[in-house]
Amino acid sequence: MNSFSPALLRRCWLGIGWFGIALLFYLSLTPQPPEIPVEHGDKFGHALAYAMLMYWWAQLSVSTRQRLWLVAGLIGLGIAIEYVQRWTGLRTFDYFDMLADAVGVTFGGVLAAFTPNLLVRVGRPGNRPVSMADSH
């Protein structure tokens, strides 16, 4: 089976991850976000978005320390976005959105911890994850 170049795979993974962050900003700050037609659907949306981002970025962070920084960063991002929503006046500030973000980050982190690393499966024979050093 052919594998992708580690540097190319990492660049693609990073590009898609940054697109996810940009999409998160857009959906969080647009005055008319898409509605999820269930009770508390926005909370499910928050949890799903942050779980996906945590899981995605955790594939690049192989050490526990890196993943803990990722957890802190994503939870901090969720909190910061709520304050930006308050300051812009386009959306409402909600502590439960912050909680949903943190639940999503936790779920994504646990999922990443107990499932095979996707970068290993896609791009690396021999089960060696793509590390930050592979891009140099």
Side-chain angles (χ1 to χ4, degrees):
M1 177 174 133
N2 291 337
S3 63
F4 295 97
S5 154
L8 175 62
L9 182 59
R10 182 176 185 280
R11 281 194 302 274
C12 289
W13 202 268
L14 283 168
I16 294 167
W18 284 116
F19 175 77
I21 296 286
L23 184 61
L24 177 77
F25 272 100
Y26 171 75
L27 293 172
S28 297
L29 299 176
T30 186
Q32 298 288 324
E35 289 190 33
I36 300 172
V38 296
E39 189 174 355
H40 305 295
D42 69 312
K43 304 306 179 257
F44 289 114
H46 278 262
L48 180 62
Y50 280 84
M52 289 174 60
L53 286 172
M54 179 62 200
Y55 185 78
W56 189 267
W57 285 95
Q59 304 308 301
L60 290 168
S61 306
V62 294
S63 76
T64 301
R65 178 180 230 164
Q66 288 174 326
R67 287 189 176 180
L68 289 174
W69 278 109
L70 183 58
V71 165
L74 285 173
I75 290 174
L77 178 63
I79 292 169
I81 285 175
E82 285 302 312
Y83 280 98
V84 171
Q85 287 176 341
R86 174 187 272 177
W87 294 327
T88 64
L90 298 173
R91 300 279 294 276
T92 57
F93 177 90
D94 189 347
Y95 288 111
F96 289 110
D97 286 350
M98 293 180 199
L99 179 61
D101 299 343
V103 167
V105 169
T106 302
F107 181 76
V110 169
L111 186 64
F114 291 103
T115 58
N117 186 302
L118 290 177
L119 291 176
V120 171
R121 298 191 121 209
V122 172
R124 287 293 184 135
N127 291 334
R128 187 174 152 253
V130 176
S131 69
M132 298 297 182
D134 287 336
S135 66
H136 300 284

